Structures are given as structure tokens and as C-alpha cells.
């Protein structure tokens, strides 16, 4: 039982200790929020720098934090939904959301 407890504790520490921060901006390695989500792992943080992002229908399908710095704009251009969250344990904070084309909640 002690070995199992130690193994679980080590696994949790490794998982949470290995979280990365991925930056998104016009001059960063990742310029697309969608691409950053694709390369992210559970528990990672995606830090979106100030700017306008018009990707539309951004799907968050893993447990991560999507944080805006200086309130970047997520703009749906009046044509599309902006965010679809299908995973548990997701944090979205620090964005200005505008011109949503489709909006609904499903639980």
C-alpha cells in the first residue's frame, strides 16, 4: 500500500510540476491560440498577449488555463462562436470578447 501511495504521489507531483507556459502573440513562437491549444498538455497555461485574435471557434478540449495579458480581444466578427470548452478544469480569464456570431450554453 505504501508503494502505491508513493507512486500516486510521485505521479501527481510530476504531472503538476511539468506544466508549461505557452505564449501567444504576433512575435511569439505561437501566433494562434488554436495552435497553442493543440501543442499544450493538461495543466499547461496559455498566456495570450495583448492584440486582436479573430480565429473563431477556439475549442478547449483539455484541462488548461487560457489567460489574457492586458485584455486581448477575441473577435468573432459577428460570424462564429468564439470559445467552445469541452474539457473539465479549464480557466479562461482576462479577455475582451466581442462580435459573437453564435452564442449558447450546453451543460
Amino acid at each position: 500500500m505504501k508503494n502505491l501511495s508513493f507512486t500516486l504521489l510521485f505521479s501527481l507531483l510530476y504531472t503538476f510540476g511539468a506544466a508549461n507556459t505557452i505564449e501567444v502573440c504576433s512575435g511569439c513562437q505561437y501566433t494562434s491560440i488554436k495552435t497553442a491549444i493543440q501543442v499544450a498538455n493538461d495543466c499547461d497555461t496559455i498566456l495570450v498577449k495583448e492584440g486582436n485574435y479573430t480565429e473563431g471557434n477556439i475549442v478547449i478540449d483539455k484541462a488548461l488555463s487560457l489567460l489574457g495579458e492586458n485584455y486581448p480581444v477575441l473577435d468573432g466578427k459577428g460570424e462564429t462562436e468564439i470559445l467552445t470548452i469541452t474539457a473539465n478544469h479549464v480557466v479562461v480569464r482576462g479577455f475582451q470578447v466581442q462580435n459573437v456570431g453564435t452564442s449558447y450554453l450546453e451543460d
Side-chain angles (χ1 to χ4, degrees), residues 66-88:
L66 183 66
L67 306 178
E69 184 177 272
N70 296 323
Y71 294 95
V73 176
L74 302 179
D75 190 343
K77 296 183 182 179
E79 301 169 2
T80 183
E81 59 192 72
I82 294 175
L83 283 174
T84 301
I85 301 172
T86 61
N88 294 318

Side-chain angles (χ1 to χ4, degrees), residues 22-36 46-53 55 67 69 72:
I22 300 167
E23 293 186 349
V24 177
C25 68
S26 60
C28 296
Q29 179 180 357
Y30 298 102
T31 58
S32 161
I33 298 170
K34 288 181 181 180
T35 303
I46 298 173
L47 181 62
V48 182
K49 304 285 186 158
E50 186 175 13
N52 291 315
Y53 298 86
E55 298 174 58
L67 306 178
E69 184 177 272

Side-chain angles (χ1 to χ4, degrees), residues 15-23 39-47 64-65:
T15 299
F16 291 111
N20 294 311
T21 299
I22 300 167
E23 293 186 349
V39 301
N41 294 309
D42 283 338
C43 301
D44 281 354
T45 297
I46 298 173
L47 181 62
L64 53 78
S65 295

Side-chain angles (χ1 to χ4, degrees), residues 37 46 58 60 64-68 74 82-85 89-97:
I37 291 170
I46 298 173
I58 299 166
I60 302 177
L64 53 78
S65 295
L66 183 66
L67 306 178
L74 302 179
I82 294 175
L83 283 174
T84 301
I85 301 172
H89 309 291
V90 173
V91 174
V92 177
R93 186 179 317 139
F95 291 91
Q96 178 180 333
V97 178

